Amino acid sequence: CGKYKPLDAKTVVEYMRQYPDLLIEIDLKKANADKTKLMIKQLVELASYDESILDRILMQFTSEEAFFAIEEVYHFKYYQYFTYKSKLPDKLDHIIKFCNDNNVTSIAVNYTVLTDDMIEKIKSNGFYLLAFTIDDKEMAESFLQKGVDTVCTNFIR
């Protein structure tokens, strides 16, 4: 939007050193396995393998392949499975099983496909739930009241 300055990973790690309460989410989206491993390796090296930094990162992944690529380089304390709305209704049970089997802590779901039953199923399995991307304040509040833990927004209105 011309208002914000992008940050590189080195700067993010420096901020994390400076502000020990800072928590961040890393969102790699659709990088292939080799690129994912390279990015994670660079991040871990920039953090000097410091768990006091790396344990404050919520590492988001979009596929099981990406999860295992990340794990080959470093085991993060917190993971979030980012789901795609077109695939979610048919794959939710599989995603929940995968997350349970691999100690994933959080699931991210596009609010346009997130039903009350899905919220109940995700929450009853012990996961944190992020709904994305909601820019309307009333809608965000509605999802939070239904049990969603976190709302991702561009700009809340």
Side-chain angles (χ1 to χ4, degrees):
C1 296
K3 296 187 227 178
Y4 306 105
K5 179 182 169 188
L7 298 177
D8 61 12
K10 181 180 178 184
T11 304
V12 171
V13 169
E14 288 170 5
Y15 280 144
M16 292 184 80
R17 282 194 177 101
Q18 186 176 356
Y19 301 101
D21 291 337
L22 178 63
L23 309 171
I24 66 163
E25 174 187 315
I26 301 290
D27 179 0
L28 301 177
K29 287 287 186 253
K30 295 182 179 182
N32 66 34
D34 290 336
K35 188 174 181 181
T36 296
K37 286 190 248 185
L38 176 62
M39 289 186 291
I40 296 303
K41 183 175 186 278
Q42 290 171 340
L43 175 65
V44 171
E45 288 174 354
L46 285 168
S48 303
Y49 295 84
D50 184 344
E51 289 180 7
S52 72
I53 292 171
L54 298 171
D55 284 354
R56 292 184 284 133
I57 294 173
L58 174 62
M59 184 56 64
Q60 188 177 85
F61 63 95
T62 59
S63 69
E64 294 171 22
E65 176 189 29
F67 173 82
F68 291 119
I70 295 164
E71 283 280 290
E72 280 184 43
V73 178
Y74 187 82
H75 174 73
F76 288 88
K77 187 173 183 177
Y78 303 107
Y79 284 96
Q80 179 168 270
Y81 198 130
F82 180 93
T83 63
Y84 288 98
K85 65 182 176 181
S86 61
K87 299 177 184 176
L88 185 63
D90 297 332
K91 295 185 90 177
L92 184 58
D93 289 336
H94 175 80
I95 289 167
I96 287 173
K97 181 177 181 344
F98 178 84
C99 290
N100 275 323
D101 291 348
N102 292 284
N103 298 311
V104 174
T105 54
S106 176
I107 299 175
V109 179
N110 187 297
Y111 82 96
T112 62
V113 297
L114 188 56
T115 66
D116 292 349
D117 288 341
M118 293 167 81
I119 292 170
E120 170 60 29
K121 185 178 271 193
I122 291 167
K123 296 298 295 174
S124 69
N125 276 278
F127 299 107
Y128 291 97
L129 175 58
L130 176 139
F132 65 92
T133 299
I134 304 174
D135 293 335
D136 178 77
K137 183 178 181 181
E138 289 78 27
M139 186 177 297
E141 289 173 356
S142 171
F143 276 93
L144 291 168
Q145 289 173 359
K146 291 179 182 185
V148 167
D149 298 292
T150 307
V151 172
C152 178
T153 183
N154 294 307
F155 303 98
I156 200 76
R157 295 181 199 110

